[in-house]
Amino acid sequence: MDSKNLILVGGGGHCKSVIDVAESAGYNIKGILDIPENVGKEVLGYSIIGSDDQIKNFVNDALFIVTVGHIKHVALRIKLHKKILDEGGTLATLVASTAHVSKYANVGEGTVILHNAVVNADATIGVGCIINTFANIEHDAQVGDYCHVSTGAMVNGNCIVGSGTFLGSQSVMVNGIEIADGCVIGAGTLIRKNIKQKGVYSGSPAELKIKL
């Protein structure tokens, strides 16, 4: 297998951002898998060549990356990752050419780090994450599996982001804060205290709006 061949799984808006990242990192995109009714269409000039039921046909030819986004629900991303692995596929880890990932950081498989994001020393990013444009993951921070750290969000030093959490655009975690698994943090939210209960939070400082 050529380690630079890549199959994208999911043909929506997030796919477009990942295409740009993959191109910048030197990958050869072989095609996109999406829902059956979209087969034959194109995304930024790349063909939708099949559905996710055909993952098994490509496991010997390419790596895979899930290009379905995550805002409120991460279940589909997790399902697709599991399907790829169950079929014997291998997940890529993509880092945009303009991103900075410290050589002392650890990034899990299936994660995408988009343009101008920063992941600093001794930070740990789990599997299947989206670290979006201009996001900042500071030293010693821990981001759990299947998180989405959105555009311009700030995860400061020694913070812990629970698995499956969505951090909205320009949200800020002050140093040493912990967020529970599966939370949704609204855009511009300031998190100054630990969040221990799963829910939807917004405001400055963060307030629980909806229990999940």
Side-chain angles (χ1 to χ4, degrees), residues 31 60 145 191:
N60 295 321
D145 295 341
I191 306 113

Side-chain angles (χ1 to χ4, degrees), residues 49-71:
I49 57 176
S51 70
D52 57 16
D53 289 333
Q54 294 168 282
I55 286 170
K56 60 182 177 292
N57 297 337
F58 302 98
V59 296
N60 295 321
D61 302 319
L63 304 176
F64 293 84
I65 197 76
V66 173
T67 49
V68 173
H70 162 207
I71 296 179

Side-chain angles (χ1 to χ4, degrees), residues 123-165:
T124 300
I125 312 294
V127 303
C129 292
I130 301 168
I131 308 300
N132 219 320
T133 310
F134 283 107
N136 184 28
I137 313 297
E138 263 302 336
H139 65 86
D140 301 294
Q142 300 175 42
V143 178
D145 295 341
Y146 301 106
C147 288
H148 183 165
V149 180
S150 197
T151 50
M154 305 285 288
V155 179
N156 276 301
N158 295 292
C159 286
I160 299 174
V161 182
S163 296
T165 287

